[in-house]
Amino acid sequence: MSQAFIHLENVGVVYPNGHHALEGVTADLSPGTICGLVGVNGAGKSTLFKSIMGFITPTSGKVEITGLPVKQALKKNMVSYVPQTEEVDWNFPVLVEDVVMMGRYGYMNFLRRPSQADKKAVDEALQRVGMQDYRKRQIGELSGGQKKRVFVARALAQGGKIILLDEPFTGVDIKTEDSLIALFRILAEEGRLMLVSTHNLGSVPGFCDTVMMVNKTLLAYGPVETTFTQDNLAAAFGGMLRHHQLMGDELHDDPDARGVTVLTDDERPLVLYGEQGGQKIVRTKETAGEGIGRHD
Amino acid sequence: MIEYLLEPFAYEYMVKAIWVSALVGGVCAFLSCYMILKGWSLMGDALAHSIVPGVAFAYLLALPYAIGAFFAGILAAGGMAFVKQKTKLREDAVIGLVFTTFFAIGLVLVSINPMAVNIQAIILGNILAISDQDVQQVIIISLVVLSVLLLKWKDFLAVFFDEGHARSIGLPTSFLKIVFFTLLSAATVAALQTVGACLVIAMVVTPGATAYLLTDRFGVMVWIAITIGTLSSALGAYLSYFLNTNPGGFIVLIETALFLSAFLFAPKYGLISQKRAVNKHREAL
């Protein structure tokens, strides 16, 4: 059991105003994977994040990180957090390297004086995300993708094996998204657990290994191939998604019963293809963006 | 000429006024760097007005005024948090409501119970007539606030910049926030003597605002702000001798003058250099 990086056992959160945000979430997340956390706004994604970060103590159940209670795990710098772009005040007078250095505070003494090791960790982290040339920039001067990279660098400098990313693709273009995904893949393959909350459904099959679908409770959790199905998506999103379905008789002249389903919430769409009830995800990663400008 | 310029230093009360103002100005300037980044300026103003009844009460009970001020500040902050949590009112309305109430209580208290302390001294400050006992209080408060800030300024920055991250590295974020507001209330109490309740807000906003226009690094910003706060407070107190003015008003006007020069001439964020950058860009096109 302690092999699980994050162990969620019957986690429930009731806010002081009586709002039931989450109930009965049980899951074990393993290292070396990217896990997508999907659900509508208010489904409890951020509540789950906050429980893992120790921001809120679940009213029932427990959260363990490598077998330790959350507080202890945080003291050991095990969990890093990459906030949403909108959550950060980009006008703060801090440079790129200052932000990354903040990832090292947990290792520093009372006065937060950086040691040689801290400086080295910052250099390495900036190298990893390809931001070493921007280290003296004020953070507000960066592009959307660069801003994300800085905070990923901070997580790397912190050295945690678990990285939580809150809506990392909001406000970045497809090309940037793809390069971020490539970076996340490498980081996961090095043995980290990347937990990514996203409402960008189309990109989930392209880069997640497992997926957690939440709506007040954990609706489904497992490998993307078997979990990210139309039924589960319908349960998670209800009527919140744009839904286009073209069945066999509309698509083909022959008796082929396979149909196409397109699900989108205005981000990259999720495309499913196959017979009704057994539709498979069509990987959209490689083809994304290609359709534009092709009129030949 | 030189004799004339050195004249204020011949008076003990002037010397005292100058260095006490400088100390308070520096401490407030340190805090101002956080205040302006978090948009808490109005809250600082509210706090300053809210402590007036506390000061009145303290004098009534013959306690050190700092204690009364401090409790009133905490009570006001708690009141604001409570009303905000229990209603859907916006923060500015809550702040406006609570601090005026406290200020009114202070006025009523003083008028039904005339006492040795002049309410005008609280509202407008009177550094020239500060008693030795009050000087002692101001020094203790300032030194405590200053040392906590010097030791923990990076932690405060981490919490205010990204609370989620601060928590993930194990910083006690709620505790640090409480400490910060305690420091703010304490500094406000100290500044009350120098510039008075009405102008405290300038001391905990203007130096930080000026420094913000001059640098992109928080550490540098702190030093610029402290320099501005200390020097303009000392200079304001000094000059008030010649012009026979209220030192508080003078201190704030000097700080404003410095802000205006930064606003116009700052190398990166000044009005002039920004205009120049725009023109350059146009020419390039």
Side-chain angles (χ1 to χ4, degrees), chain A residues 91 93 98 102 112 141 154, chain B residues 155 162 212 217-218 268:
Chain A
N91 292 323
D98 298 334
M102 282 184 202
R112 315 286 173 206
E141 297 166 6
R154 183 181 70 179
Chain B
D155 288 21
D162 186 347
Y212 179 70
R217 297 201 90 159
F218 189 78
K268 189 167 163 191

Side-chain angles (χ1 to χ4, degrees), chain B residues 239-272:
Chain B
L239 288 178
S240 71
Y241 173 85
F242 299 102
L243 298 163
N244 218 354
T245 54
N246 176 314
F250 225 77
I251 291 169
V252 173
L253 283 182
I254 293 172
E255 287 185 346
T256 309
L258 288 173
F259 172 79
L260 283 177
S261 11
F263 178 67
L264 288 174
F265 306 114
K268 189 167 163 191
Y269 298 112
L271 214 57
I272 291 174

Side-chain angles (χ1 to χ4, degrees), chain A residues 47-232:
Chain A
T47 303
L48 193 58
F49 261 23
K50 284 177 187 161
S51 309
I52 295 171
M53 302 269 308
F55 259 56
I56 43 181
T57 312
T59 33
S60 64
K62 64 175 177 179
V63 180
E64 276 179 358
I65 292 166
T66 63
L68 298 170
V70 172
K71 276 228 164 70
Q72 282 183 41
L74 292 180
K75 285 252 157 67
K76 293 188 170 180
N77 279 299
M78 282 176 166
V79 187
S80 319
Y81 173 65
V82 178
Q84 276 188 57
T85 304
E86 299 91 273
E87 264 177 47
V88 177
D89 183 351
W90 299 100
N91 292 323
F92 248 71
V94 285
L95 307 183
V96 166
E97 58 177 14
D98 298 334
V99 172
V100 181
M101 188 59 91
M102 282 184 202
R104 300 295 299 175
Y105 276 16
Y107 297 97
M108 297 179 193
N109 65 7
F110 183 75
L111 289 172
R112 315 286 173 206
R113 279 258 170 81
S115 66
Q116 280 309 315
D118 294 323
K119 286 176 185 155
K120 203 168 144 245
V122 169
D123 290 344
E124 280 171 7
L126 283 168
Q127 293 264 327
R128 285 301 306 271
V129 302
M131 288 294 291
Q132 64 274 27
D133 295 339
Y134 298 88
R135 60 185 306 155
K136 296 287 180 194
R137 292 279 192 93
Q138 193 269 331
I139 51 169
E141 297 166 6
L142 305 173
S143 72
Q146 291 169 337
K147 284 175 175 170
K148 272 280 111 79
R149 283 170 187 273
V150 172
F151 280 84
V152 172
R154 183 181 70 179
L156 293 177
Q158 194 181 339
K161 288 290 178 198
I162 298 170
I163 300 181
L164 305 185
L165 296 119
D166 201 355
E167 298 286 356
F169 307 125
T170 309
V172 300
D173 56 67
I174 298 248
K175 213 178 129 207
T176 311
E177 184 180 316
D178 287 342
S179 73
L180 285 174
I181 287 174
L183 175 64
F184 296 165
R185 274 253 66 95
I186 296 170
L187 298 178
E189 274 155 24
E190 289 171 358
R192 293 184 185 84
L193 165 61
M194 318 278 288
L195 182 58
V196 184
S197 88
T198 180
H199 61 271
N200 189 348
L201 299 178
S203 65
V204 169
F207 81 101
C208 292
D209 303 299
T210 56
V211 63
M212 293 175 94
M213 309 186 66
V214 292
N215 195 357
K216 306 284 175 198
T217 179
L218 186 59
L219 297 169
Y221 168 57
V224 171
E225 288 75 24
T226 52
T227 314
F228 210 54
T229 60
Q230 202 183 336
D231 290 346
N232 283 338

Side-chain angles (χ1 to χ4, degrees), chain B residues 129-195:
Chain B
I130 191 169
S131 73
D132 281 339
Q133 202 192 353
D134 287 353
V135 169
Q136 226 169 32
Q137 284 184 45
V138 170
I139 294 173
I140 293 171
I141 292 173
S142 302
L143 291 182
V144 170
V145 174
L146 201 61
S147 15
V148 176
L149 284 173
L150 280 174
L151 291 174
K152 285 283 149 196
W153 69 272
K154 283 186 173 175
D155 288 21
F156 288 123
L157 177 65
V159 171
F160 294 148
F161 176 61
D162 186 347
E163 203 176 331
H165 170 71
R167 207 177 271 241
S168 82
I169 57 173
L171 288 180
T173 51
S174 310
F175 175 72
L176 282 168
K177 280 200 281 190
I178 293 172
V179 170
F180 182 82
F181 282 107
T182 311
L183 296 181
L184 178 65
S185 329
T188 316
V189 172
L192 212 60
Q193 289 280 334
T194 354
V195 294

